[in-house]
Amino acid sequence: MKILVTGSNGTLGIPLLRELRKRGHTAYGCDMAHSEDPQYIRCDVRQFRQLENIFQVVKPDLVYHLAAEFGRNNGEAYYEQLWSTNQVGTENLIRLCLAIKARIVLAGSSEAYGDSGLASLREDVLDDKVHMFHNNYALSKWVQERQVMISAKRDGLKAVILRFFNAYGEGEYYSTYRSVVCLFCYRLLHDLPITIYRNGHREFLYIDDWTRTVANVAEKFDTLPRGSNFGGVPVYNIGGEEYKSIEDMAQLVIEEIGRTVPIDKSKINYVDEEIANVANKRPDLTLAQRDLDHKCKVPLTEGIQRTVRWMQSVYGKQAFAKEA
Amino acid sequence: MKILVTGSNGTLGIPLLRELRKRGHTAYGCDMAHSEDPQYIRCDVRQFRQLENIFQVVKPDLVYHLAAEFGRNNGEAYYEQLWSTNQVGTENLIRLCLAIKARIVLAGSSEAYGDSGLASLREDVLDDKVHMFHNNYALSKWVQERQVMISAKRDGLKAVILRFFNAYGEGEYYSTYRSVVCLFCYRLLHDLPITIYRNGHREFLYIDDWTRTVANVAEKFDTLPRGSNFGGVPVYNIGGEEYKSIEDMAQLVIEEIGRTVPIDKSKINYVDEEIANVANKRPDLTLAQRDLDHKCKVPLTEGIQRTVRWMQSVYGKQAFAKEA
């Protein structure tokens, strides 16, 4: 199958592209920067002409649309990119997919659920309910889904929506905008302070498990049953099975790093409640297990061990540098 | 009161700015083009720096944020402008209003209700339900509201949301993207074909009535009760009382124009159902009547007469030119 992965230089794009090629697909990547990869074409998805050029070269049967502005705080700090990349970029892709009848897999987010207060999040709870959003990023990810649903209903776009929960693991390079596992590992390794919100619970999915399930979508795309939303788009939660408090997860990171490196406990701050974030997010994984052969094979203890080791190998030289 | 009206060169902006000045406010306008008005500063609301400059000059107590990409078909044809102007532009304004504690009045749309199937639209039906959207414009207007609500809840933004239904009347210059009354009047005057969707019903609010109520918001802003949505933002439907089929409205236009000009009936096409539009939209006006002194004084027959006369005065020379 000819596949295009947008955002292919990202934490998720890199292993997905690798896996698709391993499975024998002709998989092209595109992202903002140049690359040495011969099956890669530089492209800003906000620029229709650049994307159109790729479609003319690759003529994909299927597109994984991962290119997006990512993260709550990033979305507030860079809302210009958020709305243009996530909304205009997605609309550009929708139009181009329609023109050649290519399938599209949208990288959605658990943030689309907003602050539902529900104990477990089943895909269809968003069909006609909308929950409180705390930030523009959540709103923007919810909107991407609706753009796809509108086009599926109106134009016959062939689409699948995946709602990613907390994927983590090797390959996620640190910035202050990254996921909580990445933040904790990097900052503790570098003797930087961390803040643990006691009221939060999450599940965590190791990148290898994420990659396998997401790559499965390409092969199963045409057999997936219609979704219950107004566009009939199949929607799947992609998340982990181990549901833990942020505090318990942090404890695993602390123990893992503590094996080889002394940790200054005074750098660890506990706060009862985080404002403007969703306290608890637990996916119902029934549909992904049923239709996508979704399996969580890497337990959190092992995943954190692998993440910490990867970080030590990548950041070895800079480790333990104090923050300016 | 020092007031800034964004989109002040638009069909709604022009009479609103005039009315606010008549009431003694210091009212500045801004829009995309240059203007001879000394209390006007050119600005693209997508450009933070340009907007920031206006805020430094005007220091508004209140902003009417009318600048937006408007219309269903326009939103599909120009989605790049839609998402950047409506979302980035609104976020720019939110940030600037927060910085100087200015109030903001958001020009929302009845399109935010989506395709609800409800006989009458009360403001609070959108608090946690979301209806089917047929197009990006509807989605974008719904999102603007949520952006305002998020900031009201999180940052204390002082905001009011107005959901405009079909305002019509003199001052609306024709393009194919304009409102249905404008379309029918212009096209029949120019011997161009029109299409009437038999399944549609709307109410219509004459521009004078729209202007009075919307100008009232500035004076009543600080006394309005909290809204029931998660941001506590007061939300008001601004619409007309005469609920009619599109066909009956068209009949009034045909009769009015027919008084002075022969109409070629073969140019009038009747279609049973419009795809990708909401069939019936009827606002509940209770809140606007209670809190904003909303009154509908100009009946539809008179409003259409005035609109047709205005159009004849404006387009007199070009009238009856055949479409190329």
Side-chain angles (χ1 to χ4, degrees), chain B residues 28-298:
Chain B
Y28 276 76
C30 71
D31 211 316
M32 298 286 277
H34 287 290
S35 162
E36 78 282 9
D37 182 351
Q39 290 192 321
Y40 171 96
I41 301 173
R42 183 187 178 195
C43 169
D44 181 339
V45 294
R46 294 173 289 191
Q47 302 298 333
F48 187 82
R49 187 194 59 79
Q50 295 179 17
L51 209 46
E52 190 177 37
N53 172 51
I54 296 183
F55 269 64
Q56 281 164 357
V57 173
V58 179
K59 294 183 182 64
D61 302 304
L62 182 144
V63 177
Y64 281 98
H65 181 33
L66 307 187
E69 288 292 320
F70 165 78
R72 289 190 310 282
N73 296 330
N74 177 57
E76 296 308 311
Y78 301 96
Y79 58 83
E80 301 89 344
Q81 282 94 328
L82 181 81
W83 292 110
S84 53
T85 299
N86 294 9
Q87 271 51 66
V88 177
T90 298
E91 201 64 30
N92 283 340
L93 268 160
I94 287 172
R95 303 291 173 106
L96 288 164
C97 283
L98 282 172
I100 64 166
K101 297 192 191 327
R103 303 159 184 86
I104 186 168
V105 181
L106 177 74
S109 168
S110 63
E111 288 282 319
Y113 286 106
D115 206 347
S116 70
L118 298 167
S120 172
L121 298 166
R122 216 175 60 187
E123 288 85 346
D124 62 3
V125 300
L126 286 191
D127 287 354
D128 57 4
K129 286 275 282 184
V130 65
H131 305 113
M132 180 164 61
F133 289 122
H134 290 298
N135 57 73
N136 278 274
Y137 174 64
L139 192 50
S140 166
K141 294 305 287 184
W142 183 90
V143 171
Q144 274 189 311
E145 294 193 6
R146 292 274 147 172
Q147 290 178 270
V148 165
M149 290 174 192
I150 286 172
S151 186
K153 179 173 175 60
R154 189 185 56 193
D155 315 314
L157 180 72
K158 291 183 282 186
V160 166
I161 293 170
L162 306 178
R163 291 188 189 134
F164 300 149
F165 285 66
N166 300 280
Y168 76 100
E170 54 190 88
E172 186 175 8
Y173 291 86
Y174 173 79
S175 84
T176 55
Y177 296 110
R178 301 302 320 190
S179 77
V180 65
V181 176
C182 175
L183 252 62
F184 285 177
C185 291
Y186 179 92
R187 295 184 68 86
L188 288 173
L189 277 171
H190 290 77
D191 212 16
L192 296 170
I194 67 168
T195 302
I196 296 168
Y197 296 98
R198 283 210 158 99
N199 69 325
H201 290 74
R202 295 285 186 276
E203 49 56 58
F204 302 93
L205 180 66
Y206 195 67
I207 186 67
D208 292 4
D209 291 328
W210 178 92
T211 305
R212 188 183 340 96
T213 298
V214 173
N216 289 348
V217 177
E219 288 141 21
K220 296 174 185 291
F221 193 103
D222 293 333
T223 68
L224 299 174
R226 272 178 72 83
S228 55
N229 53 77
F230 73 88
V233 179
V235 181
Y236 295 96
N237 291 333
I238 308 293
E241 283 166 344
E242 285 179 270
Y243 189 65
K244 289 211 182 311
S245 69
I246 302 281
E247 191 171 355
D248 285 349
M249 183 276 288
Q251 193 51 42
L252 291 177
V253 174
I254 292 165
E255 283 168 18
E256 180 57 37
I257 293 178
R259 286 175 207 271
T260 54
V261 172
I263 289 182
D264 179 356
K265 291 282 167 68
S266 74
K267 295 280 169 64
I268 303 173
N269 306 300
Y270 292 90
V271 173
D272 283 344
E273 196 179 346
E274 186 176 18
I275 306 298
N277 194 0
V278 180
N280 306 312
K281 287 199 290 188
R282 179 171 209 170
D284 183 322
L285 300 173
T286 313
L287 291 186
Q289 288 160 343
R290 186 193 70 185
D291 295 346
L292 303 176
D293 202 19
H294 179 50
K295 290 192 182 76
C296 306
K297 294 185 177 177
V298 181

Side-chain angles (χ1 to χ4, degrees), chain A residues 1-256:
Chain A
M1 195 184 277
K2 274 189 295 181
I3 298 175
L4 173 66
V5 178
T6 71
S8 64
N9 287 349
T11 306
L12 303 177
I14 289 170
L16 178 62
L17 197 65
R18 192 191 302 131
E19 175 70 14
L20 292 169
R21 288 173 178 172
K22 219 168 77 181
R23 294 188 186 191
H25 300 293
T26 303
Y28 276 75
C30 72
D31 212 315
M32 298 286 276
H34 287 291
S35 161
E36 78 283 8
D37 182 350
Q39 290 192 321
Y40 171 97
I41 301 173
R42 184 186 177 195
C43 168
D44 180 339
V45 295
R46 293 173 291 190
Q47 301 298 333
F48 186 82
R49 186 194 59 79
Q50 295 178 16
L51 211 45
E52 191 177 37
N53 172 51
I54 296 183
F55 269 64
Q56 281 164 357
V57 173
V58 179
K59 296 183 180 62
D61 303 303
L62 182 143
V63 177
Y64 281 98
H65 181 33
L66 307 187
E69 288 291 321
F70 164 80
R72 291 189 309 282
N73 296 329
N74 177 57
E76 297 307 311
Y78 301 96
Y79 58 82
E80 301 89 343
Q81 282 94 328
L82 180 83
W83 291 109
S84 53
T85 298
N86 294 7
Q87 272 50 66
V88 177
T90 297
E91 202 63 29
N92 284 340
L93 268 160
I94 288 172
R95 304 292 173 105
L96 288 164
C97 283
L98 283 171
I100 63 166
K101 297 194 193 326
R103 303 159 185 84
I104 186 168
V105 180
L106 177 74
S109 167
S110 63
E111 288 282 319
Y113 286 105
D115 206 347
S116 69
L118 297 167
S120 172
L121 299 167
R122 217 174 60 187
E123 288 85 346
D124 63 2
V125 301
L126 286 191
D127 286 355
D128 57 3
K129 284 276 282 186
V130 66
H131 304 114
M132 179 164 62
F133 290 122
H134 290 299
N135 57 74
N136 278 273
Y137 173 64
L139 191 50
S140 167
K141 294 305 288 183
W142 183 90
V143 171
Q144 275 189 311
E145 295 193 6
R146 293 273 147 172
Q147 290 177 270
V148 165
M149 290 174 193
I150 287 171
S151 186
K153 181 175 174 62
R154 189 185 57 192
D155 315 315
L157 180 72
K158 292 183 281 186
V160 166
I161 293 169
L162 306 179
R163 291 186 189 135
F164 300 150
F165 284 66
N166 300 277
Y168 76 101
E170 54 189 90
E172 186 175 8
Y173 291 85
Y174 173 79
S175 84
T176 54
Y177 296 110
R178 302 301 321 190
S179 77
V180 64
V181 176
C182 175
L183 252 61
F184 285 178
C185 291
Y186 179 93
R187 295 183 68 86
L188 288 173
L189 277 171
H190 290 77
D191 211 16
L192 297 169
I194 67 168
T195 301
I196 297 168
Y197 295 98
R198 284 212 157 99
N199 68 325
H201 290 74
R202 295 285 186 276
E203 50 55 60
F204 301 93
L205 180 66
Y206 194 68
I207 186 69
D208 291 4
D209 292 327
W210 178 92
T211 304
R212 188 185 339 97
T213 298
V214 173
N216 290 347
V217 178
E219 288 141 22
K220 295 172 185 291
F221 193 103
D222 293 335
T223 68
L224 299 175
R226 271 179 73 82
S228 54
N229 53 79
F230 73 88
V233 179
V235 181
Y236 296 97
N237 291 332
I238 308 293
E241 283 167 343
E242 286 178 90
Y243 188 65
K244 290 211 182 311
S245 69
I246 302 280
E247 191 172 353
D248 285 348
M249 183 276 288
Q251 193 52 41
L252 291 177
V253 174
I254 292 166
E255 283 167 19
E256 180 55 37

